[in-house]
Amino acid sequence: MTEGLPQQINYLVDEGMSTSKGSNAIISYIHHFFLNFGLGEMRVDLHCDNCSGQNKNKYVVWYFLWRAIHLLHQQVTMNFRITGHTKFGPDWCFGLVKQKFRRTKVSSLSEIAGVVQASTISGVNIPQLVGDEAGNVFVQQYDWQSFLAPYFKPLVGILKLHHLRFNSNKPGSVFVKETVGDVEKEIQLLKNVAQLPPIQLPAPVAPPGIGLDRQWYLFNKIVNFAAKRSKT
């Protein structure tokens, strides 16, 4: 959610487009967001939940180091919610989508995108399809893990950290704090400070599609619940 607009971009992922729910997918969506919905900002403050599988992991840290190294941002801060205080702006937007979804018959990706679009009168919720039923890819996913791993080291103790900062003036360094009142500690994560990752994008990851067994299951068990307009 971009609070300055305010708008929330909701990435809608069909199972045939889902390479994973891990860091490759998450970083690819973040990268797409900055390219297509960014405002030209050079300083970014991010507020995140504590999901280690998706956003609080070494690969996301490496990605923001990569952005800072290549001046795509001058400074990025990541602030993670503490246990018991995980509700914030995006949950409000998700709640509005759920309310609209419960009252709407949905049988296709375009229809769920319409639900997101119509969930707020002011247009706060914006849908972004990752791909469609025909296999067209709208948000390319990349192998960020293999691309970044040769250049960076893991951030030890990441799960207990709540504040991370990346700055283009300190290539490869992350400034960390456990709590907001702590003194920042600088940690260099480049394996070799003389060897920087290239600015070129990683190799793309092709969408897996839907396997034949899954297609037959959907045809035999699910298709009868879909609207006629979506069966063609």
Side-chain angles (χ1 to χ4, degrees):
M1 181 178 183
T2 306
E3 294 181 348
L5 295 179
Q7 284 184 337
Q8 175 162 299
I9 311 303
N10 298 270
Y11 284 81
L12 306 175
V13 189
D14 176 69
E15 63 179 300
M17 291 288 160
S18 179
T19 56
S20 73
K21 288 183 66 177
S23 52
N24 272 341
I26 298 303
I27 296 171
S28 296
Y29 302 152
I30 294 171
H31 190 72
H32 179 271
F33 174 85
F34 284 131
L35 283 176
N36 294 275
F37 299 103
L39 303 175
E41 73 288 330
M42 295 307 292
R43 297 170 64 93
V44 177
D45 294 308
L46 300 174
H47 295 267
C48 319
D49 63 24
N50 267 297
C51 181
S52 59
Q54 295 181 6
N55 55 46
K56 197 175 188 181
N57 60 67
K58 61 184 179 182
Y59 299 109
V60 174
V61 169
W62 295 348
Y63 171 72
F64 284 115
L65 288 172
W66 175 80
R67 291 192 69 86
I69 285 171
H70 293 294
L71 301 178
L72 300 176
H73 280 121
Q74 291 177 351
Q75 180 167 284
V76 177
T77 62
M78 297 184 72
N79 305 285
F80 295 93
R81 315 296 289 184
I82 61 176
T83 302
H85 299 272
T86 57
K87 297 295 184 183
F88 60 140
D91 295 294
W92 167 64
C93 292
F94 294 146
L96 295 173
V97 172
K98 290 179 181 178
Q99 290 179 19
K100 185 66 175 177
F101 178 71
R102 293 190 188 104
R103 305 192 301 270
T104 309
K105 186 171 180 62
V106 173
S107 301
S108 67
L109 290 170
S110 61
E111 289 175 355
I112 190 63
V115 166
V116 173
Q117 188 75 58
S119 63
T120 60
I121 297 175
S122 59
V124 170
N125 273 322
I126 305 297
Q128 173 61 62
L129 289 174
V130 171
D132 63 16
E133 294 92 340
N136 298 307
V137 177
F138 305 137
V139 179
Q140 182 63 62
Q141 298 189 40
Y142 299 95
D143 187 3
W144 291 98
Q145 295 180 1
S146 299
F147 174 70
L148 296 170
Y151 302 96
F152 296 107
K153 300 176 290 188
L155 176 57
V156 177
I158 187 174
L159 294 181
K160 65 181 181 181
L161 301 173
H162 287 89
H163 304 278
L164 310 178
R165 183 169 65 87
F166 314 88
N167 194 288
S168 60
N169 292 327
K170 292 285 188 173
S173 287
V174 57
F175 297 84
V176 305
K177 295 192 293 185
E178 288 191 33
T179 67
V180 68
D182 290 344
V183 176
E184 277 189 333
K185 178 182 178 182
E186 179 181 356
I187 302 175
Q188 176 58 249
L189 294 183
L190 280 169
K191 292 180 178 178
N192 182 348
V193 294
Q195 185 178 10
L196 302 178
I199 194 170
Q200 289 81 8
L201 291 175
V205 178
I210 300 177
L212 187 59
D213 289 344
R214 179 63 174 168
Q215 292 182 47
W216 276 113
Y217 170 79
L218 294 172
F219 180 78
N220 291 323
K221 302 292 185 179
I222 304 299
V223 73
N224 288 334
F225 297 100
K228 290 183 179 180
R229 62 182 178 275
S230 301
K231 294 181 181 180
T232 57

